[in-house]
Amino acid sequence: MAEIAGDFAELISGDELKAAALRYIGEMRAKIERDQNGLHSVFDSWFTRVLGQLIQFDPTRAWEDSVRERVIRAPAQFGGLQWDLHRLRQFLDRWRQGRFVDYARREQSGTHYHPRFGTEFGADVLLTCQGAPSLMRWRGIPLMKNVFDFAMYPMLIGELRPHTIIEIGSGLGASALWFADHLVMNGIDGHVHSVDRVRAEAAHPHVTFHQGDCADPARLFEPGLLQAAPHPWLVIEDAHHNVAGVIEHFHTFLEPGDYLIVEDSDIKREALRGFVGAHPGDYLVDTRYTDNFGRNATCAADAIFVRMEEPDGE
Ligand SMILES: C[S@@+](CC[C@H](N)C(=O)[O-])C[C@H]1O[C@@H](n2cnc3c(N)ncnc32)[C@H](O)[C@@H]1O
């Protein structure tokens, strides 16, 4: 990764790290009072404990140096704190970047994480988080989502309140039914359009299953459907075929505030680089959803995009 330029490659450290930790704990305390009725989450408790230990070190030295020195002297005693400090640095490095982050910057700062998936955790979690040996089911139908996305999508639907959900790749139809149930549960007047090479057989009053082939994106849906579908939209690419062509097709219909999610994105990075490169500033990664359960704790690693306002009248 020698081509990585600038401070994105450097994990936050030294005085910047200390300042960010103090800023974050202020925000965290306010959140605990405002949103959690004074109750600490596991993460809140962990952060408080680790910071409490770090601020006892010599204030004139970087925490990284103080901890490293102690690990050399007493590895059994301080090895855990070294791990804590690394996780704290990773977290604050993300936090300082803000919620909406450029795709290139995400890729660059991914160097501090899993080499393939850019996750905070390893392939062991990814291997089983969709269910092993059994998939989860929704309304009795196997659902091809992992446990992180099973929590992420309802949060996003609740915040975005999409009037149209477009799914490319219906599978057995469970995911479209699941999205529609979340529309109903949130009292959202919305509809799901889900397309597959073979029309799914499931049924739901808020879902229309379509038959279409990603090889010809313009004909995935009947003429006029996309022009008429009310915004905001949540578009999910989950067919893994002609990804570049499919997302480029949807670009012409997406409006500011709409979301585009590309699932299993680790195998689609070339298409994504081309797409965001062709539309500079139009799409940012919403890290509230990619990272809420740890960096890239989603099958849509770096690929939960929000369509931004057009910067220059494109
Ligand atoms: C991973 S599955 C979708 C899973 C489903 N969305 C879920 O979460 O349960 C991918 C689907 O994409 C469909 N697919 C693959 N190639 C396609 C193409 N060229 N056009 C349309 N659909 C395609 C497959 O038939 C398959 O049902």
Side-chain angles (χ1 to χ4, degrees):
M1 304 290 271
E3 74 278 10
I4 291 170
D7 58 353
F8 308 150
E10 300 298 331
L11 207 51
I12 191 169
S13 61
D15 288 344
E16 246 188 308
L17 171 66
K18 290 180 181 179
L22 295 176
R23 277 202 321 277
Y24 178 74
I25 202 150
E27 241 185 55
M28 188 188 94
R29 285 183 181 135
K31 174 212 64 164
I32 290 168
E33 290 314 313
R34 187 186 61 236
D35 302 339
Q36 298 172 194
N37 202 21
L39 299 170
H40 286 60
S41 69
V42 171
F43 185 83
D44 300 334
S45 302
W46 170 83
F47 193 97
T48 307
R49 175 180 61 77
V50 174
L51 187 59
Q53 284 176 273
L54 292 171
I55 56 176
Q56 289 176 35
F57 292 131
D58 178 353
T60 65
R61 304 188 63 202
W63 289 337
E64 304 87 280
D65 294 338
S66 299
V67 171
R68 197 178 308 118
E69 191 182 272
R70 278 165 178 76
V71 170
I72 290 166
R73 274 199 267 130
Q77 193 184 343
F78 288 99
L81 185 58
Q82 191 173 40
W83 182 90
D84 287 330
L85 176 60
H86 183 63
R87 299 305 290 258
L88 188 104
R89 292 177 68 194
Q90 287 182 319
F91 172 76
L92 290 171
D93 198 61
R94 295 199 298 277
W95 178 74
R96 70 169 168 169
Q97 293 177 30
R99 175 172 173 178
F100 300 104
V101 180
D102 184 69
Y103 183 75
R105 184 172 187 177
R106 286 285 295 184
E107 287 212 299
Q108 286 162 355
S109 50
T111 180
H112 304 292
Y113 298 87
H114 187 281
R116 174 166 167 205
F117 303 101
T119 51
E120 230 169 319
F121 43 73
D124 47 350
V125 174
L126 294 166
L127 187 68
T128 51
C129 67
Q130 209 181 39
S134 305
L135 292 169
M136 287 181 278
R137 284 173 182 259
W138 190 259
R139 291 176 175 256
I141 308 171
L143 173 69
M144 303 198 74
K145 293 285 176 270
N146 70 40
V147 289
F148 299 113
D149 292 327
F150 194 66
M152 180 277 291
Y153 273 109
M155 288 170 66
L156 174 55
I157 290 172
E159 188 190 26
L160 177 62
R161 303 187 68 77
H163 288 169
T164 301
I165 298 181
I166 294 171
E167 179 182 57
I168 301 123
S170 316
L172 295 162
S175 45
L177 268 49
W178 175 60
F179 293 139
D181 283 338
H182 280 282
L183 291 177
V184 173
M185 282 192 286
N186 281 284
I188 301 166
D189 179 20
H191 197 84
V192 181
H193 291 282
S194 178
V195 64
D196 204 293
R197 233 174 355 205
V198 180
R199 192 191 309 269
E201 285 178 2
H204 190 291
H206 294 271
V207 179
T208 306
F209 286 107
H210 303 255
Q211 192 272 321
D213 194 325
C214 295
D216 189 358
R219 294 178 60 194
L220 275 173
F221 297 101
E222 47 270 36
L225 186 143
L226 296 181
Q227 280 89 347
H231 294 256
W233 287 11
L234 170 59
V235 177
I236 301 123
E237 192 289 311
D238 193 21
H240 322 314
H241 184 80
N242 186 21
V243 176
V246 168
I247 58 180
E248 190 56 38
H249 176 66
F250 278 93
H251 169 70
T252 39
F253 296 95
L254 288 167
E255 294 182 357
D258 290 344
Y259 273 69
L260 169 67
I261 299 187
V262 179
E263 295 205 354
D264 302 314
S265 54
D266 62 295
I267 54 167
K268 303 171 181 173
R269 285 200 177 267
E270 214 175 299
L272 291 174
R273 275 182 214 122
F275 179 68
V276 294
H279 307 289
D282 282 355
Y283 295 91
L284 293 180
V285 178
D286 188 348
T287 64
R288 170 172 289 178
Y289 297 110
T290 54
D291 296 359
N292 196 54
F293 303 104
R295 190 183 194 272
N296 276 336
T298 168
C299 76
D302 299 329
I304 300 178
F305 296 104
V306 60
R307 175 82 157 91
M308 308 303 290
E309 293 287 342
E310 288 167 11
D312 49 14
E314 188 192 341

